[in-house]
Amino acid sequence: MQFDPGIPALYLPRRPADGEIVPLPEDEERHARALRLRQGDAVTLLDGRGGRTRASVESVERRSVLVRAGATLLDEAEGRTYIALGVGVLSDRSRFEWIVEKGVELGAREIIPLATERSEGRFHAERAGRIAVAALKQSQRAYLPDIPLPMAFASMLERADGFDLIAVCHESAAVADTLPKLLAATPAARRIALLVGPEGGFSDSEIERARAASSAIVSLGEARLRAETAALVALALAANLAGVPA
Ligand code: SAM
């Protein structure tokens, strides 16, 4: 059974049984009404954990919208590669939230606000969560990324054993040490962490700590990119080269 991206998607954070009549959660009910869905209309229910369930609108009442679940299609391709994108918390909150939206669209499985020596600004977890769900439905990705509270850079480096590689993007890295070159040298890498600094960049001591923790320090080219641009470039390159379906 192929899933049809032309059918509107709603988010249901659990996998319903085939034939189950499900009341939509409040936010999704609001979305269904905004889409002017009617009885019999087809919808796809995304559980954010790899499942896409074909469903149809059972009823639209004043106080509830019910859908009848059908078969669930489990994603295989997207789930094979796990990319975590860590970015220093940005002083401009909307720019960080833009990274969340693009990260979901490009298939990130974790989007981690990093607390680094030069990160500034505040991270708004609830807003980021809502933006991620909206991007999940719009892109119809199979996975909703984990978005934890801000994590200290050192704590992220301590997670190295959980990844095949950690790539720290640094504007002063040797231009020959590109991310594609690193990925080509580690073709079996399926759990990849990409780390990008805040507007002020990583400090020298952070880069040294990253090297000491066996992270790769990589260049994204000669241009000095904004943090959000660097995050997008790194994720798009890694997703493409490590097999996350576009
Ligand atoms: N402090 C830097 C400066 O003064 O040019 C700017 C940091 S940049 C705005 C934010 C982050 O984007 C950096 O920490 C790095 O992770 C990433 N970045 C920007 N350009 C890059 C490049 N050419 N190669 C690798 N990473 C880059």
Side-chain angles (χ1 to χ4, degrees), residues 62-233:
R62 209 159 60 81
R63 293 185 182 283
S64 71
V65 175
L66 303 180
V67 293
R68 176 184 294 272
T72 295
L73 179 66
L74 289 182
D75 174 86
E76 276 114 32
E78 198 172 313
R80 265 199 293 273
T81 303
Y82 185 99
I83 299 179
L85 175 65
V87 184
V89 175
L90 301 180
S91 54
D92 180 336
R93 187 179 71 190
S94 64
R95 288 181 183 275
F96 195 94
E97 289 168 355
W98 184 85
I99 293 172
V100 170
E101 182 180 70
K102 300 312 154 199
V104 174
E105 290 178 66
L106 290 172
R109 300 289 298 279
E110 270 186 88
I111 300 174
I112 307 155
L114 291 177
T116 71
E117 287 177 33
R118 298 175 186 163
S119 57
E120 298 170 18
R122 293 174 54 77
F123 170 71
H124 200 294
E126 195 190 331
R127 272 179 56 88
R130 281 203 304 273
I131 287 166
V133 169
L136 178 84
K137 293 191 285 185
Q138 182 275 326
S139 62
Q140 300 212 17
R141 281 285 179 185
Y143 292 90
L144 184 68
D146 287 338
I147 307 178
L149 291 174
M151 182 183 297
F153 182 65
S155 305
M156 184 64 213
L157 294 179
E158 285 163 12
R159 294 181 56 193
D161 292 347
F163 291 97
D164 297 315
L165 66 90
I166 293 186
V168 176
C169 301
H170 189 41
E171 64 283 359
S172 303
V175 176
D177 294 344
T178 65
L179 179 57
K181 191 172 162 188
L182 171 69
L183 293 168
T186 44
R190 285 291 170 270
R191 286 184 63 83
I192 299 165
L194 305 167
L195 306 185
V196 171
E199 291 98 334
F202 288 119
S203 68
D204 291 345
S205 65
E206 283 170 335
I207 294 298
E208 283 323 303
R209 283 184 84 149
R211 284 191 211 282
S214 307
S215 301
I217 309 302
V218 297
S219 171
L220 297 174
E222 296 196 22
R224 267 166 164 53
L225 307 173
R226 279 186 175 277
E228 62 271 26
T229 314
L232 192 69
V233 168

